[in-house]
Amino acid sequence: MSALFFGSISTLADTSELQRRAFNEAFEAHGLDWNWSRDDYRAMLGSNGGKDRIAQYARDHNQDVDAGAVHETKSAVFQELLSSAEVSARPGVAETIQRARKDGLRLGFVTTTSADNIRSLLSALAPEIDSDSFDLIVDSSSVSAGKPDPEAYRYALDQLGEDAAHAVAIEDNAGGVQAATAAGLTCIAFPNENTSGGDFTPAQTTVDALRADDVVALVKS
């Protein structure tokens, strides 16, 4: 068997600006005078973990902030935005999933975000893409370390009984690419609108749209 892994929420739908809006609304709700501009946010996207970004920003500004509480609010706001916004799959994603399933590939959604965020995204994308699209969904409760640590991918390979040599990951940010390649997977970089300036050197290729034939051929090569 061979496996194809989608590595983050924004490999399915570009939610990056919704995420940034959710952070800023959470800051306001907690009485913080922070407002992350698009340039600010882009500079933070080299690694994963919203809670860690909040904590680091607080340290950088010599402020004592409950990063966990702020991030919980951010997640709640993000889920509400997903339920009300028009969210659609990124170019080629639905076609790639359909082709991969037709060709008998195992499909995984390998993230280190919360299960609630994943449910909200898949609800917004249904019926085109939903939980039944994947053989395995990995969330933050599945592993102890977030990306760029490779634990999430090693966990996914173990759960599916797959070999990294026969697996391809699709990632939208530099930290995700690092995690996938550190686990021995071939990686396709698929930057979103706010990560396009990242360093994707370890990836096999960088694309702005998925082409089902090319992706499946890479998995089978």
Side-chain angles (χ1 to χ4, degrees):
M1 296 288 287
S2 301
L4 176 63
F5 297 132
F6 286 83
S8 73
I9 281 179
S10 282
T11 59
L12 298 183
D14 195 341
T15 62
S16 187
E17 278 297 284
L18 285 182
Q19 299 260 18
R20 184 172 71 88
R21 176 179 167 186
F23 275 113
N24 286 333
E25 290 190 16
F27 300 154
E28 184 177 1
H30 284 265
L32 297 168
D33 61 350
W34 302 355
N35 188 286
W36 288 352
S37 70
R38 194 166 179 183
D39 286 343
D40 291 333
Y41 192 52
R42 282 175 168 171
M44 300 175 190
L45 294 178
S47 62
N48 300 61
K51 179 180 173 182
D52 291 340
R53 290 187 199 116
I54 294 168
Q56 184 61 55
Y57 193 83
R59 287 192 294 270
D60 290 345
H61 291 78
N62 297 313
Q63 291 183 258
D64 185 15
V65 171
D66 186 341
V70 177
H71 191 253
E72 283 186 13
T73 301
K74 177 265 175 184
S75 293
V77 172
F78 177 61
Q79 291 156 25
E80 178 62 31
L81 290 173
L82 281 174
S83 71
S84 58
E86 290 188 11
V87 179
S88 58
R90 295 184 65 189
V93 168
E95 295 83 359
T96 297
I97 290 173
Q98 291 165 6
R99 173 65 187 279
R101 297 203 70 84
K102 179 182 177 183
D103 282 32
L105 304 184
R106 308 293 291 282
L107 274 165
F109 190 20
V110 183
T111 82
T112 49
T113 192
S114 71
D116 287 341
N117 281 348
I118 292 171
R119 279 192 290 269
S120 294
L121 174 73
L122 294 179
S123 177
L125 291 176
E128 186 175 43
I129 300 169
D130 59 22
S131 60
D132 291 335
S133 301
F134 302 98
D135 298 294
L136 174 71
I137 296 177
V138 177
D139 62 49
S140 58
S141 69
S142 307
V143 295
S144 59
K147 300 173 187 176
D149 191 287
E151 182 185 1
Y153 280 111
R154 290 174 178 159
Y155 174 84
L157 292 167
D158 182 66
Q159 291 296 301
L160 292 179
E162 295 290 346
D163 190 313
H166 303 294
V168 170
I170 299 169
E171 279 286 359
D172 73 323
N173 63 77
V177 171
Q178 291 172 29
T181 54
L185 283 75
T186 299
C187 189
I188 299 171
F190 186 29
N192 66 55
E193 62 178 321
N194 281 334
T195 61
S196 57
D199 179 8
F200 300 110
T201 304
Q204 176 81 13
T205 185
T206 300
V207 301
D208 56 13
L210 297 183
R211 294 165 182 81
D213 289 347
D214 294 344
V215 174
V216 171
L218 184 59
V219 177
K220 292 183 172 183
S221 63

